Amino acid sequence: MTDASDKTDRLSKIKRPQKVYTLLVEVGRKEGDGLPKGATGAALLCYSTGVSEEEAVRECVAVLKQADMAPLDVTGYGTPEERAAQGHEIDADERELMDRALAENAVIVVQATPFYDEESRAATLH
C-alpha cells in the first residue's frame, strides 16, 4: 500500500513545464481602467503563462483585475505550437514577446483595441 502512495506523492511533486498561451480578453468599463473616454470596453490581446491554458486564463484575469480592468470573456488560441499547427503566422516580434512572458512567468498585454458604440463614437468626434 505504501508503494502506491509513494508513487502518488512523487507524481504530484513532478513540476510540469510552463507554456505561454495567446488569449483574447474582452473587458468592460470600470472606474480607473485607463480606457479612452467614450469607450464601452476593449479587446486585449495577451500572452499569459501557465502549466495549462486554464491556469494561464486564471493568471491573466487576476492580473487584469489588479489593474482595475473588468474582464468579461476570454478566448484562448493555444500555445505557439498549437497556433502554428492551425496555420497562424508568428513573426519575430511576437515570438520575442512570448519568450519574454515565458521567461518572466508573466502576463503581457500586447494590444488593446477599444470598443465604441455609435453614440459614444459620435460624442467623441464632436
Side-chain angles (χ1 to χ4, degrees):
M1 196 75 157
T2 42
D3 288 338
S5 63
D6 287 345
K7 186 176 182 181
T8 302
D9 287 345
R10 282 190 305 241
L11 289 175
S12 67
K13 292 178 184 175
I14 294 173
K15 186 165 172 82
R16 296 188 302 172
Q18 293 277 320
K19 296 179 182 178
V20 64
Y21 294 87
T22 301
L23 306 174
L24 184 63
V25 184
E26 287 185 47
V27 296
R29 291 307 311 251
K30 183 176 175 187
E31 190 172 329
D33 61 14
L35 294 177
K37 182 179 179 180
T40 58
L44 306 178
L45 180 63
C46 304
Y47 300 139
S48 182
T49 59
V51 296
S52 66
E53 189 168 72
E54 292 79 18
E55 182 182 73
V57 167
R58 284 192 301 273
E59 290 297 320
C60 185
V61 167
V63 166
L64 292 175
K65 285 182 176 180
Q66 286 178 341
D68 288 329
M69 304 294 278
L72 301 173
D73 188 50
V74 180
T75 303
Y77 291 94
T79 64
E81 296 77 22
E82 292 168 338
R83 289 183 53 203
Q86 296 169 16
H88 295 201
E89 289 187 27
I90 300 173
D91 65 28
D93 290 339
E94 191 175 5
R95 176 59 76 173
E96 186 178 318
L97 287 171
M98 289 176 176
D99 290 345
R100 180 177 171 198
L102 192 56
E104 297 176 8
N105 191 25
V107 174
I108 296 178
V109 177
V110 181
Q111 182 178 352
T113 304
F115 297 142
Y116 298 93
D117 62 21
E118 290 305 313
E119 241 177 71
S120 56
R121 183 178 300 280
T124 58
L125 295 176
H126 296 289

